[in-house]
């Protein structure tokens, strides 16, 4: 288990009955989480402090019940990185705080490489890994199919004082982008990806993780440099074992470049109980 326990501006305060109570800077939110199948056992007084509560709808989706006026967005910091937080209509806030364990790891890898590093961030969302890689000195290509998420990533980079860093922002289907990079002969020293379980590209391209991820990884092998530094796969697909990511990386990057593979769960510490909330899995290949 890789635990993101170095936060100051984020805290998982308590969990129970399918919900989590979180502090994002000075704003407290209550949101549902499918992993929380245990009953509430803590101090109910804590939960009354939530500034907003996301309620699921029985017909799908949900809505926020604001207990007090919230800013349209606000900022949280992790070490030298800054991010805009904004509660969305689908319960998310624009940041997955458990990913901090990966930001710290990739920053260390890039800084210790002692050479220029080109990073490709695929399914890049609001750019947590992009901001981390750029802060560590890498040249970054950020690719996501959603135009709004790409704009959010640009704003996060600027918020972290990285607007002038060499970062390309691309709104495109990642599979088509990788195929074009193959034809161009483009090479990257590190590839990061956070593939969804299901998805569609800007042109309606279908992505299904079970059938799409392995051929996609194989295609990525052709745009890795002769001396690749690392590959990172994150997954939030329910029921997917870390061993699956190990096997995929072993059959692709490991087969071609050797190196080592480390896989496991990602988690957040729960302040009130001392327990850990599992938040997905990761697979790391490194030279």
């Amino acid at each position: 288990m890789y635990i993101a326990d170095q936060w100051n501006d984020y805290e998982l305060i308590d969990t129970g009955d399918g919900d989590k109570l979180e502090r994002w800077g000075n704003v407290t939110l209550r949101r549902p989480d499918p992993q929380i199948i245990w009953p509430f056992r803590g101090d109910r007084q804590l939960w009354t402090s939530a500034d907003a509560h996301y309620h699921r709808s029985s017909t799908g989706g949900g809505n926020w019940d604001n207990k007090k006026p919230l800013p349209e967005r606000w900022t949280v910091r992790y070490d030298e990185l800054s991010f805009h937080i904004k509660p969305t209509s689908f319960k998310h806030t624009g940041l997955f705080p458990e990913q901090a364990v990966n930001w710290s790891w990739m920053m260390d890898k890039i800084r210790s490489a002692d050479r220029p590093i080109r990073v490709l961030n695929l399914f890049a969302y609001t750019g947590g890994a992009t901001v981390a890689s750029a802060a560590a000195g890498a040249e970054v290509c950020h690719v996501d199919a959603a135009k709004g998420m790409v704009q959010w990533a640009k704003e996060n980079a600027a918020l972290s004082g990285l607007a002038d860093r060499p970062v390309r922002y691309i709104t495109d289907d990642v599979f088509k982008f990788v195929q074009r990079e193959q034809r161009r002969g483009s090479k990257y020293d590190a590839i990061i990806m956070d593939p969804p379980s299901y998805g569609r590209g800007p042109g309606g391209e279908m992505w299904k993780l079970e059938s799409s991820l392995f051929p996609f990884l194989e295609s990525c092998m052709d745009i890795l440099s002769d001396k690749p530094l690392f590959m990172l796969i994150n997954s939030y697909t329910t029921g997917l074992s870390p061993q699956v990511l190990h096997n995929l990386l072993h059959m692709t990057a490991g087969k071609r470049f050797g190196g080592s593979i480390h896989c496991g769960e990602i988690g957040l510490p729960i302040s009130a109980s001392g327990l850990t909330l599992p938040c997905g899995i990761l697979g790391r290949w490194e030279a």
Side-chain angles (χ1 to χ4, degrees):
M1 176 73 78
Y2 298 82
I3 301 176
D5 57 2
Q6 298 300 307
W7 277 98
N8 292 316
D9 277 4
Y10 172 85
E11 179 186 6
L12 180 52
I13 301 169
D14 203 1
T15 60
D17 294 332
D19 275 3
K20 56 188 176 184
L21 183 68
E22 308 165 289
R23 178 180 59 81
W24 296 85
N26 58 3
V27 177
T28 305
L29 303 178
R30 179 175 177 175
R31 299 190 291 159
D33 190 297
Q35 296 280 7
I36 302 171
I37 64 172
W38 49 87
F40 176 79
R41 286 285 187 262
D43 178 4
R44 290 202 176 272
Q45 202 61 29
L46 283 174
W47 293 77
T48 63
S49 67
D51 299 315
H53 181 186
Y54 186 89
H55 297 276
R56 283 196 182 279
S57 168
S58 59
T59 57
N63 64 280
W64 286 97
D65 175 19
N66 291 354
K67 306 301 181 182
K68 72 175 188 180
L70 296 181
E72 180 181 355
R73 66 181 184 181
W74 64 96
T75 301
V76 299
R77 289 184 58 84
Y78 178 80
D79 195 13
E80 65 201 83
L81 314 177
S82 296
F83 304 99
H84 284 308
I85 300 302
K86 179 180 179 180
T88 68
S89 60
F90 45 95
K91 91 170 182 177
H92 296 307
T93 64
L95 196 69
F96 292 92
E98 62 274 9
Q99 288 297 324
V101 294
N102 283 324
W103 304 335
S104 296
W105 174 77
M106 66 182 66
M107 291 173 78
D108 287 343
K109 294 290 293 181
I110 291 166
R111 284 173 171 156
S112 63
D114 199 28
R115 60 185 171 97
I117 297 297
R118 297 188 73 214
V119 173
L120 177 60
N121 187 13
L122 301 168
F123 310 96
Y125 194 48
T126 60
T130 295
V131 173
S133 298
E139 177 185 338
V140 186
C141 183
H142 173 110
V143 187
D144 196 276
K147 185 177 181 180
M149 296 299 106
V150 173
Q151 179 59 35
W152 197 335
K154 289 182 182 179
E155 293 167 0
N156 280 336
L159 191 64
S160 295
L162 304 169
D164 61 343
R165 297 297 176 93
V167 181
R168 295 171 61 208
Y169 296 95
I170 309 291
T171 304
D172 201 357
D173 172 71
V174 296
F175 217 129
K176 289 185 175 180
F177 177 80
V178 168
Q179 290 173 336
R180 286 203 305 276
E181 292 293 83
Q182 289 175 334
R183 294 193 293 269
R184 294 173 182 139
S186 299
K187 298 292 181 181
Y188 297 89
D189 303 296
I191 297 178
I192 301 161
M193 64 180 73
D194 193 349
S197 300
Y198 301 95
R200 288 189 180 274
E205 302 86 356
M206 175 61 75
W207 168 278
K208 186 177 180 182
L209 186 135
E210 290 89 342
S211 57
S212 302
L213 184 54
F214 181 73
F216 183 61
L217 281 174
E218 284 197 308
S219 67
C220 287
M221 293 301 99
D222 293 331
I223 59 172
L224 279 172
S225 67
D226 293 337
K227 291 179 61 180
L229 187 63
F230 66 82
M231 285 193 72
L232 169 65
I233 307 172
N234 292 294
S235 178
Y236 292 90
T237 300
T238 303
L240 194 69
S241 166
Q243 185 64 38
V244 172
L245 297 186
H246 184 284
N247 294 348
L248 294 175
L249 287 168
H250 175 79
M251 296 170 71
T252 53
K255 180 179 179 181
R256 183 171 297 196
F257 299 104
S260 59
I261 300 168
H262 303 276
C263 302
E265 290 188 89
I266 311 175
L268 288 166
I270 305 167
S271 297
S273 63
L275 301 174
T276 300
L277 176 66
C279 303
I281 62 175
L282 64 79
R284 297 171 177 172
W285 172 87
E286 52 190 303

